[in-house]
Amino acid sequence: MIETELRQLQQVNLAFVRPTGFYANLFSNLATIKADHAIYSNIPANVPQKYVAPEDIARVVLPLLTATPAGVTVKYAFSDTLTGDQFVADLRKALDMPDLQWVQISDAQYQANLTNHGVSVEIAQALVQTSRYQRDPDGLYADLNATHTIPGQVVLADFVRTFVVAYNSEGGYHSNTIAD
């Protein structure tokens, strides 16, 4: 891990910023929402996940750039905590799509979908492993929660408005992940 390597530096002040999942990654669901009125995920719809918007990351980074604390500092950035159920419920209303569903798929189905879309087996396996971590939010967010990190300002309702714009647009919105 790069943090481990950087921590080896002597007499250097370091500030690490650890953002959670990006709201923009949810744009990867645009095609299946349009085609099937469904979001497919190997993470159960009732599992809380933390998401972050770029502006909330910037709010964490800026003070560290202007005055980096002495030693090693770790800061987390997240905007809101939500479940798939909450995201779908808000989208049903905002898109006027009452039949929108969260469809849980298996890890094998998720991996097959990734590799069928050109993602290497190695990367697909890593993404499946990441999903396994996400299914245990208490473990995944333990360090973040222990630091009593305050959420940013961009809540789910804000992102849903952006998502609706993306849904109704002719492009320009995508998730910017390696799996795209």
Side-chain angles (χ1 to χ4, degrees), residues 73-118:
T73 302
V74 176
K75 296 284 184 179
Y76 289 89
F78 82 99
S79 300
D80 202 359
T81 304
L82 57 124
T83 65
D85 286 332
Q86 291 168 310
F87 183 50
V88 166
D90 285 7
L91 282 181
R92 280 183 189 133
K93 291 177 197 166
L95 294 173
D96 192 23
M97 189 181 292
D99 62 334
L100 179 63
Q101 298 294 314
W102 183 279
V103 178
Q104 187 172 345
I105 59 174
S106 69
D107 287 348
Q109 289 171 306
Y110 178 50
Q111 183 170 330
N113 184 53
L114 291 168
T115 57
N116 289 340
H117 286 90

Side-chain angles (χ1 to χ4, degrees), residues 100-141:
L100 179 63
Q101 298 294 314
W102 183 279
V103 178
Q104 187 172 345
I105 59 174
S106 69
D107 287 348
Q109 289 171 306
Y110 178 50
Q111 183 170 330
N113 184 53
L114 291 168
T115 57
N116 289 340
H117 286 90
V119 177
S120 73
V121 171
E122 182 179 273
I123 297 294
Q125 289 172 338
L127 291 170
V128 168
Q129 182 60 47
T130 298
S131 294
R132 287 186 189 119
Y133 295 136
Q134 290 174 318
R135 290 192 291 250
D136 176 23
D138 291 337
L140 180 64
Y141 302 123

